Amino acid sequence: MLDFFSIATKGGLVLWSKAYGPAQSSPINNLIQDILIEERSSTQIYLKDNYAIKWTFVNDLDLIFIAVYPKSLGLTYIDTLLQAASTQFSDRYGDRILRKSGGIPQLKDWGVQFEALLQTVEDQDALSKKTKQPRKFEQTVGYSNSLAYAKAKPDDIKDTSKPALVDEDEFLRNIEMLKKKSASPRIGVRKGRGAKSPAASPIIGSDDSKKKAKEGRKWDGKISAKDAKSLDYSNSDAIDVVNADHLVDQSKLGQHGKDGTYNVADLEASDEDESYSDDESEEEYTKISARSLQAKKPAAASSGLLSFFKNMTGQKEMTAETLEPIMTKMKEHLINKNVAADIAQHLCDSVAKGLVGQTLGNFKSVQAHVKQSMETALKRILTPKTSVDLLRDIAQAQAEKRPYTIVFIGVNGVGKSTNLSKTAFWLLQNNLKVLIAACDTFRSGAVEQLRVHARNLKALEQNAVIDLYEKGYGKDSASIAKEAISSARLTGHDVVLIDTAGRMQDNGPLMRALAKLVTVNNPDKIIFVGEALVGNEAVDQLTKFNAALKDYSGLANPRHIDGMILTKFDTIDDKVGAALSMTYTTGQPILFVGTGQTYTDLKNMKVSHVVASLLRE
Amino acid sequence: MAQQSLLRSYLPPQVLINDNEYITIGLIFILLTLIVFAVNFSFGAKRNSKNTVLITGLPFAGKTVIHYLINHDRAVETVTSIKENEADVILTEGKPAIHMVDIPGHERLRFKFSEFMPIARAVVFVVDSAAVPRQTRLLAEYLYDILSNKFTQEERIPVLIACNKTELLTAFRKERIQTALEGEINKLRQTRTAALDTQDSEGNENVFLGFEGKDFSFQDLENEVEFLECSAENKDIEGIKDWIASASS
């Protein structure tokens, strides 16, 4: 059952929370840090330890509603609960919160109300579970041939069987409803308010669409086991995948009607169904959900003139519909800037989720607002969450009297060796003793290339200590790295830079060798070198490199990519999307960008610069 | 036209310029006045509104709790903040309200503090006294960012380091925290000044904190840095209130 329910502001203030089990608020903090701050809220569910967490936003009030429940229980009613709770809560306390913005609102009776809500939702769920059970013998065909059937009054049987089926019908609709909602939160409410879009309004034109939708269903009292199974959506845990199919089916059904969006028709229909559902708790539940979903409608409709002026001054609320075209545009814009397509999609979804329901200020266009929040989101993603001060790390290693090791990995021809030598140059500038381990034992000329670099760097600086550790070609790179590190320990080198052979991310044997190198030597930093030119490929490269490091390591706590160097950054003008793709995929910072051919062309990335380039028209 | 040429003939030749040049001069003059007005206005507004006190620190230091204690005098339960909390509070009677901003501590949201720096009057840096040994470096890095910020340097924004959670057994005394931070910042200013340039920036923008050739000490800074012990759990935050009141008066 539900373990924990919490209502918090985006500022971090917990307005109300209730624990039903041993769950602490720590999974909530994890949720906020791992998902919400990282702009990954286009996902629906977050699993942490033994808990599954679902959440929903109320953006106009800056609230987050969070429900925590055990992972092992695939609770299906959580979405309904969140939705109903959030709408009821904002109906009831919304004004108060807005008036006392930043303050601590008093929440009288919410505990009781929530308890009632939870009860009805749980009852509803329990009921649906009951109907899912196999039919009793009394309901089977076999029973009707028995003696007992003849004795029993025929009316009774009808009465018991019919409501059960209705219940199922009802339940299915509710499930559909909540699925649609979870796919696009609050859509129902917005539509309900939409004085602008009469076609989508639940009142107008809903009558015939409803009737025709009903004709599509031909199960009055007769449901075969197969039918029941195919119609039973209740225990589908994998929401994302399964959901899509159901949505398609359902929209087909909806189109049987006029043109009305099925979502809307469904909502109204469930309201109607009350009349012949004789179960009390269910009735109550439907009332609650229907009321809370439509509660805001009359207010908006009555103030037509006011809304006209509001539109004039630009003070309007953003809905999923108004955002959609702008988000599509934004997504295309990002893709044009070379951001990987699915990342652009995720990001836009996440930003849109954070915007729906917000009210715009005076004379502010939606577009400008979207751009602004996109800017914040981009800044958030690109700002490193760990220290990028490599020199400080090296100083730490020096204090521990051990060499600091950095491995450079990446696909072929991205500039691993070149940027390794640039890094070496920078380290030499800071009077560190550098050893380069030539672990590219594969490509001809790789060792010689490094030797030239070492010679050049030695010539550039007066007392520079830079050496090359090499064992020729064809040897096992992991053992060469091992030897290099132990030799560095003896000779007193501060930093060991390990150059590896470039490899394609799909090359199994080579990826395995890389994982071995990492596992054997446990370097301090694993730096992925990637081209800024890369587009959709960036995601694939990074995920596969990370997966290889994880899968082939055989360790309990496998290593992952710790940072990235983005090379050829001078060649891409303002198409800096790769920077975003890479940081979003790994969550790790971009340590440096390579901006040219000489040793000095290694720079720190400036987040504001990248964000500005990404958003430039 | 005839009159104008007549006028011209009376004027000394040095003053004579073409007709369109008069227009140009006029336009430039108007433009200049506009710019002066705009600059005056914006600066004036900024100067007047500089009554913002920022509350920063690492996650779980207790920033939001302190924020609500100061502004609403209520102990609240909190989770990690995604957005900053703002409030206006009058600490001493008769003084104008102070604008308090509680900035999220999460690393990804840290850029927000630099957005508020231009209007900051003072900064309260909240430290979890019990977590200092494992967070020394993180604390020092964030503190370094604050201290070396352009606005902190130029306007000598005072910084209060509030050592929170003193009610815990494992809490460090403020003196220990100070030495730990000084030692770490001492190392950091070496590595930070040696860091690579950022893209298209002219030279190293980092400033060197303290004096060269001498170990870093908070006393060497031009702005005031004060340490203070407090406990939000026991509502022992009077020191912070007093400091804010005196810093923003």
Side-chain angles (χ1 to χ4, degrees):
Chain A
M1 292 293 112
L2 189 68
D3 269 347
F4 195 81
F5 194 90
S6 177
I7 303 170
T9 65
K10 286 190 184 167
L13 172 70
V14 176
L15 292 180
W16 186 85
S17 70
K18 180 146 181 136
Y20 294 91
Q24 324 275 284
S25 59
S26 61
I28 292 185
N29 283 332
N30 283 323
L31 164 81
I32 293 172
Q33 295 183 350
D34 294 350
I35 303 282
L36 306 186
I37 290 182
E38 307 261 329
E39 288 293 342
R40 283 163 210 270
S41 51
S42 56
T43 50
Q44 304 287 338
I45 190 165
Y46 172 67
L47 302 174
K48 174 79 188 172
D49 300 335
N50 295 323
Y51 299 112
I53 308 178
K54 287 196 173 184
W55 65 95
T56 178
F57 290 116
V58 177
N59 289 316
D60 43 350
L61 304 176
D62 268 351
L63 294 180
I64 319 167
F65 290 74
I66 304 163
V68 183
Y69 57 98
K71 192 160 65 175
S72 46
L73 301 176
L75 296 187
T76 44
Y77 61 82
I78 294 293
D79 287 306
T80 329
L81 177 70
L82 280 171
Q83 201 58 42
S86 62
T87 33
Q88 279 194 23
F89 187 87
S90 35
D91 283 350
R92 215 170 146 177
Y93 304 104
D95 295 342
R96 216 173 296 175
I97 291 168
L98 278 183
R99 214 169 35 232
K100 273 179 75 177
S101 76
I104 309 166
Q106 299 290 326
L107 304 175
K108 264 189 289 166
D109 309 332
W110 171 251
V112 184
Q113 197 179 347
F114 179 77
E115 233 27 77
L117 182 72
L118 180 66
Q119 196 58 47
T120 47
V121 175
E122 271 181 357
D123 285 352
Q124 167 75 13
D125 188 61
L127 202 78
S128 71
K129 283 221 178 91
K130 226 187 283 164
T131 56
K132 231 167 39 181
Q133 283 165 358
R135 282 176 296 163
K136 285 180 192 143
F137 177 60
E138 282 80 1
Q139 290 167 8
T140 57
V141 190
Y143 175 69
S144 63
N145 297 331
S146 70
L147 181 68
Y149 174 76
K151 277 183 185 167
K153 286 175 192 168
D155 293 0
D156 285 353
I157 294 160
K158 247 185 202 166
D159 279 350
T160 48
S161 66
K162 200 180 174 187
L165 287 166
V166 170
D167 284 347
E168 176 146 25
D169 177 8
E170 169 82 21
F171 171 68
L172 286 175
R173 280 149 191 245
N174 285 328
I175 290 293
E176 279 317 312
M177 215 165 78
L178 78 86
K179 272 183 188 159
K180 292 224 167 171
K181 265 183 272 153
S182 68
S184 55
R186 291 172 72 84
I187 231 175
V189 183
R190 297 302 160 222
K191 277 199 177 144
R193 304 188 68 172
K196 320 157 212 159
S197 52
S201 149
I203 323 159
I204 309 166
S206 63
D207 262 3
D208 28 352
S209 71
K210 205 186 355 169
K211 271 174 199 158
K212 280 177 193 168
K214 282 225 185 291
E215 280 168 21
R217 311 183 178 191
K218 45 174 186 192
W219 14 284
D220 348 286
K222 274 176 229 150
I223 252 187
S224 73
K226 213 176 88 190
D227 279 352
K229 206 174 170 191
S230 73
L231 286 162
D232 180 13
Y233 303 115
S234 58
N235 61 352
S236 61
D237 268 358
I239 299 152
D240 289 338
V241 191
V242 187
N243 195 1
D245 292 341
H246 291 330
L247 283 177
V248 171
D249 282 352
Q250 211 53 32
S251 66
K252 248 188 223 160
L253 250 168
Q255 270 154 17
H256 262 284
K258 228 169 59 184
D259 65 325
T261 337
Y262 194 77
N263 185 15
V264 173
D266 203 347
L267 180 67
E268 193 68 7
S270 75
D271 206 8
E272 183 111 313
D273 284 346
E274 267 176 41
S275 52
Y276 55 90
S277 92
D278 53 357
D279 189 283
E280 215 180 87
S281 73
E282 178 161 22
E283 201 167 18
E284 197 182 323
Y285 163 71
T286 334
K287 263 187 198 157
I288 287 177
S289 64
R291 187 182 44 189
S292 56
L293 287 170
Q294 297 172 345
K296 286 183 178 172
K297 201 178 8 176
S302 67
S303 58
L305 194 67
L306 194 71
S307 75
F308 173 73
F309 278 111
K310 272 190 177 170
N311 279 336
M312 280 281 285
T313 53
Q315 202 174 48
K316 49 192 173 277
E317 206 173 275
M318 277 178 285
T319 63
E321 289 88 62
T322 53
L323 277 173
E324 160 126 39
I326 296 165
M327 266 4 241
T328 323
K329 236 187 192 167
M330 181 57 87
K331 191 184 124 196
E332 273 164 18
H333 175 77
L334 286 177
I335 292 173
N336 281 336
K337 293 283 178 184
N338 210 9
V339 178
D342 40 350
I343 285 178
Q345 180 68 53
H346 278 301
L347 192 59
C348 285
D349 287 352
S350 175
V351 168
K353 239 185 185 177
L355 280 175
V356 170
Q358 275 186 14
T359 319
L360 278 178
N362 290 342
F363 304 112
K364 210 170 168 195
S365 77
V366 183
Q367 207 140 9
H369 196 72
V370 167
K371 201 166 172 180
Q372 197 187 345
S373 40
M374 184 55 90
E375 189 183 332
T376 323
L378 292 177
K379 264 191 195 169
R380 251 193 237 173
I381 293 166
L382 289 166
T383 306
K385 66 175 173 186
T386 51
S387 171
V388 290
D389 195 345
L390 214 56
L391 289 174
R392 179 68 193 85
D393 288 338
I394 293 170
Q396 189 67 38
Q398 266 178 324
E400 292 165 19
K401 300 214 179 315
R402 64 180 179 86
Y404 190 82
T405 47
I406 306 175
V407 179
F408 290 77
I409 61 174
V411 299
N412 309 75
V414 290
K416 283 180 299 301
S417 308
T418 312
N419 283 282
L420 179 140
S421 56
K422 286 183 198 170
T423 315
F425 175 76
W426 169 58
L427 294 173
L428 289 174
Q429 298 279 305
N430 291 302
N431 298 322
L432 294 165
K433 302 186 193 85
V434 179
L435 182 71
I436 301 178
C439 293
D440 184 351
T441 56
F442 191 66
R443 178 174 63 93
S444 49
V447 178
E448 285 76 10
Q449 184 189 359
L450 287 175
R451 190 175 294 135
V452 172
H453 277 309
R455 202 184 59 213
N456 287 354
L457 289 168
K458 212 172 235 171
L460 274 171
E461 281 286 312
Q462 273 298 307
N463 315 318
V465 182
I466 176 159
D467 296 297
L468 179 70
Y469 189 92
E470 55 113 341
K471 281 278 184 279
Y473 294 95
K475 304 270 167 43
D476 175 28
S477 54
S479 58
I480 297 181
K482 185 102 196 156
E483 287 165 30
I485 293 168
S486 47
S487 111
R489 208 181 284 268
L490 290 175
T491 50
H493 284 90
D494 298 310
V495 187
V496 183
L497 302 178
I498 301 168
D499 187 31
T500 64
R503 60 203 79 208
M504 294 313 287
Q505 67 270 23
D506 295 313
N507 191 327
L510 283 179
M511 295 306 282
R512 223 173 265 270
L514 180 69
K516 184 187 168 195
L517 187 143
V518 167
T519 316
V520 168
N521 296 297
N522 199 19
D524 293 279
K525 273 250 188 290
I526 302 171
I527 296 183
F528 180 86
V529 184
E531 279 180 327
L533 304 162
V534 78
N536 284 319
E537 177 80 351
V539 183
D540 190 49
Q541 285 180 7
L542 282 164
T543 39
K544 286 204 172 131
F545 266 87
N546 252 338
L549 290 180
K550 192 172 152 215
D551 297 344
Y552 301 140
S553 72
L555 296 175
N557 295 316
R559 297 291 306 267
H560 53 80
I561 293 165
D562 297 311
M564 288 157 289
I565 295 183
L566 209 52
T567 63
K568 312 183 188 177
F569 207 71
D570 50 332
T571 61
I572 49 161
D573 196 23
D574 63 352
K575 298 206 182 308
V576 293
L580 182 71
S581 305
M582 289 185 173
T583 35
Y584 191 85
T585 312
T586 56
Q588 300 297 331
I590 289 175
L591 296 171
F592 310 116
V593 289
T595 56
Q597 305 297 327
T598 62
Y599 288 127
T600 51
D601 289 326
L602 192 67
K603 299 266 188 266
N604 274 325
M605 191 182 74
K606 199 172 185 179
V607 172
S608 55
H609 180 261
V610 174
V611 172
S613 305
L614 277 173
L615 291 176
R616 199 176 301 143
E617 288 303 321
Chain B
M1 282 316 254
Q3 272 181 352
Q4 232 176 35
S5 55
L6 198 75
L7 193 75
R8 279 191 176 203
S9 61
Y10 283 113
L11 282 170
Q14 290 90 344
V15 198
L16 267 185
I17 39 178
N18 281 333
D19 275 352
N20 52 350
E21 284 184 14
Y22 277 113
I23 298 170
T24 323
I25 288 173
L27 276 179
I28 288 172
F29 184 75
I30 291 168
L31 215 72
L32 273 177
T33 16
L34 273 179
I35 287 170
V36 167
F37 259 100
V39 167
N40 244 357
F41 187 75
S42 62
F43 264 76
K46 228 182 209 173
R47 288 274 175 276
N48 291 338
S49 69
K50 248 186 176 288
N51 62 345
T52 303
V53 176
L54 306 183
I55 303 178
T56 61
L58 295 184
F60 303 111
K63 298 172 295 295
T64 311
V65 176
I66 290 180
H67 176 85
Y68 277 100
L69 269 179
I70 292 177
N71 294 300
H72 304 280
D73 207 21
R74 282 253 314 266
V76 291
E77 195 188 333
T78 60
V79 290
T80 311
S81 305
I82 305 177
K83 261 179 116 168
E84 58 279 4
N85 293 304
E86 297 184 48
D88 288 313
V89 65
I90 296 170
L91 286 178
T92 39
E93 290 299 319
K95 287 274 167 58
I98 297 165
H99 181 221
M100 304 265 302
V101 183
D102 157 38
I103 293 169
H106 194 271
E107 283 84 352
R108 293 246 194 240
L109 298 167
R110 202 169 277 177
F111 65 89
K112 290 215 168 164
F113 107 86
S114 53
E115 284 172 3
F116 278 101
M117 269 329 254
I119 55 160
R121 181 77 168 255
V123 175
V124 178
F125 186 80
V126 184
V127 174
D128 180 349
S129 306
V132 166
R134 45 189 173 86
Q135 292 184 336
T136 316
R137 203 177 140 192
L138 296 172
L139 283 168
E141 283 187 342
Y142 196 0
L143 197 57
Y144 185 96
D145 286 342
I146 293 172
L147 293 175
S148 64
N149 185 280
K150 198 174 82 191
F151 291 96
T152 323
Q153 291 285 321
E154 281 174 7
E155 302 178 15
R156 302 188 184 178
I157 295 173
V159 177
L160 174 74
I161 296 169
C163 309
N164 192 19
K165 306 197 188 177
T166 46
E167 78 278 357
L168 295 176
L169 268 180
T170 47
F172 274 44
R173 306 290 305 172
K174 64 177 182 187
E175 292 78 14
R176 288 271 316 268
I177 295 174
Q178 182 168 355
T179 31
L181 288 179
E182 279 175 352
E184 189 61 37
I185 290 180
N186 194 33
K187 288 178 201 156
L188 272 183
R189 57 178 188 170
Q190 302 296 335
T191 61
R192 285 297 175 94
T193 42
L196 285 169
D197 293 349
T198 46
Q199 288 169 272
D200 49 53
S201 69
E202 303 296 316
N204 209 328
E205 286 163 356
N206 269 326
V207 282
F208 195 84
L209 295 178
F211 303 124
E212 301 224 21
K214 177 177 177 292
D215 277 353
F216 174 81
S217 157
F218 284 112
Q219 266 105 50
D220 299 342
L221 294 175
E222 293 196 354
N223 53 331
E224 180 200 345
V225 179
E226 203 177 309
F227 280 76
L228 190 98
E229 286 177 2
C230 67
S231 166
E233 184 77 23
N234 300 336
K235 295 199 176 187
D236 173 23
I237 52 147
E238 289 309 310
I240 301 180
K241 278 187 180 175
D242 295 343
W243 186 87
I244 291 172
S246 68
S248 51
S249 59

Short mmCIF file of all heavy atoms in Angstrom, two decimals, chain A residues 291-317:
data_model
loop_
_atom_site.label_atom_id
_atom_site.label_comp_id
_atom_site.label_asym_id
_atom_site.label_seq_id
_atom_site.Cartn_x
_atom_site.Cartn_y
_atom_site.Cartn_z
N ARG A 291 -15.75 15.84 -10.13
CA ARG A 291 -15.85 17.20 -9.62
C ARG A 291 -14.49 17.88 -9.64
O ARG A 291 -14.34 18.99 -10.10
CB ARG A 291 -16.37 17.16 -8.19
CG ARG A 291 -16.67 18.53 -7.64
CD ARG A 291 -17.13 18.42 -6.23
NE ARG A 291 -16.27 17.47 -5.53
CZ ARG A 291 -16.51 17.01 -4.33
NH1 ARG A 291 -17.57 17.36 -3.68
NH2 ARG A 291 -15.69 16.18 -3.74
N SER A 292 -13.50 17.14 -9.17
CA SER A 292 -12.21 17.80 -9.08
C SER A 292 -11.65 18.09 -10.46
O SER A 292 -10.89 19.01 -10.65
CB SER A 292 -11.24 16.93 -8.29
OG SER A 292 -11.17 15.67 -8.90
N LEU A 293 -12.04 17.28 -11.42
CA LEU A 293 -11.52 17.52 -12.75
C LEU A 293 -12.25 18.66 -13.46
O LEU A 293 -11.72 19.27 -14.36
CB LEU A 293 -11.62 16.25 -13.60
CG LEU A 293 -10.61 15.18 -13.20
CD1 LEU A 293 -10.93 13.89 -13.89
CD2 LEU A 293 -9.21 15.63 -13.54
N GLN A 294 -13.47 18.90 -13.06
CA GLN A 294 -14.22 19.93 -13.77
C GLN A 294 -14.44 21.18 -12.93
O GLN A 294 -15.11 22.10 -13.34
CB GLN A 294 -15.59 19.37 -14.16
CG GLN A 294 -15.48 18.20 -15.12
CD GLN A 294 -16.82 17.55 -15.34
OE1 GLN A 294 -17.76 17.79 -14.61
NE2 GLN A 294 -16.89 16.74 -16.39
N ALA A 295 -13.87 21.14 -11.75
CA ALA A 295 -14.21 22.19 -10.79
C ALA A 295 -13.92 23.60 -11.30
O ALA A 295 -14.66 24.52 -11.00
CB ALA A 295 -13.44 21.96 -9.50
N LYS A 296 -12.88 23.73 -12.07
CA LYS A 296 -12.47 25.08 -12.45
C LYS A 296 -13.26 25.61 -13.64
O LYS A 296 -13.08 26.73 -14.04
CB LYS A 296 -10.98 25.10 -12.77
CG LYS A 296 -10.14 25.00 -11.52
CD LYS A 296 -8.67 25.10 -11.87
CE LYS A 296 -7.81 25.05 -10.61
NZ LYS A 296 -6.40 24.94 -10.96
N LYS A 297 -14.09 24.79 -14.21
CA LYS A 297 -14.74 25.17 -15.46
C LYS A 297 -15.61 26.42 -15.34
O LYS A 297 -15.40 27.36 -16.10
CB LYS A 297 -15.57 23.99 -15.96
CG LYS A 297 -15.87 24.07 -17.40
CD LYS A 297 -16.65 22.89 -17.89
CE LYS A 297 -17.12 21.96 -16.82
NZ LYS A 297 -17.93 20.87 -17.30
N PRO A 298 -16.54 26.44 -14.41
CA PRO A 298 -17.50 27.55 -14.45
C PRO A 298 -16.84 28.90 -14.27
O PRO A 298 -17.22 29.87 -14.93
CB PRO A 298 -18.43 27.26 -13.27
CG PRO A 298 -18.11 25.90 -12.80
CD PRO A 298 -16.79 25.55 -13.30
N ALA A 299 -15.87 28.97 -13.40
CA ALA A 299 -15.22 30.24 -13.14
C ALA A 299 -14.66 30.85 -14.41
O ALA A 299 -14.84 32.02 -14.69
CB ALA A 299 -14.10 30.03 -12.12
N ALA A 300 -14.03 30.01 -15.21
CA ALA A 300 -13.41 30.52 -16.42
C ALA A 300 -14.46 30.95 -17.43
O ALA A 300 -14.32 31.96 -18.12
CB ALA A 300 -12.51 29.45 -17.02
N ALA A 301 -15.53 30.16 -17.51
CA ALA A 301 -16.54 30.45 -18.51
C ALA A 301 -17.28 31.75 -18.20
O ALA A 301 -17.61 32.51 -19.10
CB ALA A 301 -17.53 29.29 -18.58
N SER A 302 -17.52 31.99 -16.93
CA SER A 302 -18.33 33.13 -16.57
C SER A 302 -17.62 34.46 -16.83
O SER A 302 -18.25 35.45 -17.13
CB SER A 302 -18.72 33.04 -15.09
OG SER A 302 -17.54 33.19 -14.31
N SER A 303 -16.34 34.45 -16.71
CA SER A 303 -15.62 35.71 -16.84
C SER A 303 -15.06 35.90 -18.24
O SER A 303 -13.86 36.02 -18.44
CB SER A 303 -14.51 35.77 -15.80
OG SER A 303 -13.66 34.67 -16.02
N GLY A 304 -15.95 35.84 -19.20
CA GLY A 304 -15.53 35.96 -20.59
C GLY A 304 -14.85 37.28 -20.90
O GLY A 304 -13.82 37.34 -21.56
N LEU A 305 -15.45 38.34 -20.37
CA LEU A 305 -14.92 39.67 -20.65
C LEU A 305 -13.55 39.83 -20.02
O LEU A 305 -12.61 40.35 -20.62
CB LEU A 305 -15.88 40.72 -20.09
CG LEU A 305 -15.62 42.14 -20.59
CD1 LEU A 305 -15.90 42.25 -22.07
CD2 LEU A 305 -16.47 43.12 -19.80
N LEU A 306 -13.48 39.35 -18.81
CA LEU A 306 -12.22 39.48 -18.08
C LEU A 306 -11.11 38.72 -18.80
O LEU A 306 -10.00 39.20 -18.96
CB LEU A 306 -12.38 38.94 -16.66
CG LEU A 306 -11.26 39.34 -15.71
CD1 LEU A 306 -11.36 40.82 -15.38
CD2 LEU A 306 -11.33 38.51 -14.45
N SER A 307 -11.48 37.54 -19.29
CA SER A 307 -10.45 36.74 -19.94
C SER A 307 -10.01 37.42 -21.24
O SER A 307 -8.87 37.30 -21.65
CB SER A 307 -10.98 35.34 -20.23
OG SER A 307 -11.87 35.39 -21.32
N PHE A 308 -10.96 38.17 -21.85
CA PHE A 308 -10.59 38.93 -23.04
C PHE A 308 -9.50 39.93 -22.70
O PHE A 308 -8.49 40.06 -23.39
CB PHE A 308 -11.84 39.64 -23.59
CG PHE A 308 -11.52 40.59 -24.71
CD1 PHE A 308 -11.18 40.11 -25.97
CD2 PHE A 308 -11.55 41.96 -24.50
CE1 PHE A 308 -10.87 40.98 -26.99
CE2 PHE A 308 -11.25 42.82 -25.52
CZ PHE A 308 -10.91 42.35 -26.77
N PHE A 309 -9.72 40.63 -21.61
CA PHE A 309 -8.72 41.61 -21.21
C PHE A 309 -7.41 40.95 -20.80
O PHE A 309 -6.34 41.44 -21.08
CB PHE A 309 -9.25 42.49 -20.07
CG PHE A 309 -10.11 43.59 -20.56
CD1 PHE A 309 -11.46 43.60 -20.30
CD2 PHE A 309 -9.56 44.62 -21.32
CE1 PHE A 309 -12.27 44.61 -20.77
CE2 PHE A 309 -10.36 45.64 -21.79
CZ PHE A 309 -11.73 45.64 -21.52
N LYS A 310 -7.59 39.81 -20.16
CA LYS A 310 -6.39 39.07 -19.76
C LYS A 310 -5.58 38.69 -20.99
O LYS A 310 -4.37 38.78 -21.02
CB LYS A 310 -6.78 37.83 -18.98
CG LYS A 310 -6.92 38.10 -17.50
CD LYS A 310 -7.08 36.81 -16.77
CE LYS A 310 -7.15 37.06 -15.27
NZ LYS A 310 -7.53 35.87 -14.55
N ASN A 311 -6.30 38.28 -22.01
CA ASN A 311 -5.61 37.93 -23.25
C ASN A 311 -4.94 39.15 -23.85
O ASN A 311 -3.87 39.06 -24.43
CB ASN A 311 -6.60 37.33 -24.25
CG ASN A 311 -6.83 35.87 -23.95
OD1 ASN A 311 -6.00 35.22 -23.33
ND2 ASN A 311 -7.98 35.37 -24.38
N MET A 312 -5.65 40.28 -23.74
CA MET A 312 -5.10 41.52 -24.27
C MET A 312 -3.78 41.85 -23.61
O MET A 312 -2.79 42.19 -24.25
CB MET A 312 -6.08 42.67 -24.00
CG MET A 312 -7.22 42.76 -24.98
SD MET A 312 -6.70 43.51 -26.50
CE MET A 312 -6.59 45.22 -25.95
N THR A 313 -3.77 41.77 -22.30
CA THR A 313 -2.56 42.14 -21.58
C THR A 313 -1.57 40.99 -21.52
O THR A 313 -0.49 41.13 -20.99
CB THR A 313 -2.89 42.58 -20.15
OG1 THR A 313 -3.66 41.55 -19.55
CG2 THR A 313 -3.64 43.88 -20.13
N GLY A 314 -1.95 39.86 -22.10
CA GLY A 314 -1.02 38.76 -22.17
C GLY A 314 -0.99 37.93 -20.91
O GLY A 314 -0.18 37.04 -20.76
N GLN A 315 -1.91 38.21 -19.99
CA GLN A 315 -1.90 37.43 -18.77
C GLN A 315 -2.74 36.19 -18.96
O GLN A 315 -3.91 36.15 -18.63
CB GLN A 315 -2.43 38.26 -17.62
CG GLN A 315 -1.96 37.73 -16.28
CD GLN A 315 -2.37 38.65 -15.18
OE1 GLN A 315 -3.51 39.06 -15.10
NE2 GLN A 315 -1.43 39.01 -14.33
N LYS A 316 -2.13 35.20 -19.50
CA LYS A 316 -2.89 33.98 -19.80
C LYS A 316 -2.15 32.76 -19.26
O LYS A 316 -0.96 32.78 -19.01
CB LYS A 316 -3.11 33.86 -21.30
CG LYS A 316 -1.86 34.05 -22.11
CD LYS A 316 -2.21 34.22 -23.57
CE LYS A 316 -1.00 34.56 -24.42
NZ LYS A 316 -0.64 35.94 -24.44
N GLU A 317 -2.92 31.75 -19.11
CA GLU A 317 -2.34 30.54 -18.57
C GLU A 317 -1.86 29.67 -19.72
O GLU A 317 -2.51 29.58 -20.74
CB GLU A 317 -3.41 29.82 -17.77
CG GLU A 317 -2.84 28.96 -16.69
CD GLU A 317 -3.94 28.40 -15.82
OE1 GLU A 317 -4.35 29.12 -14.90
OE2 GLU A 317 -4.40 27.31 -16.07
#
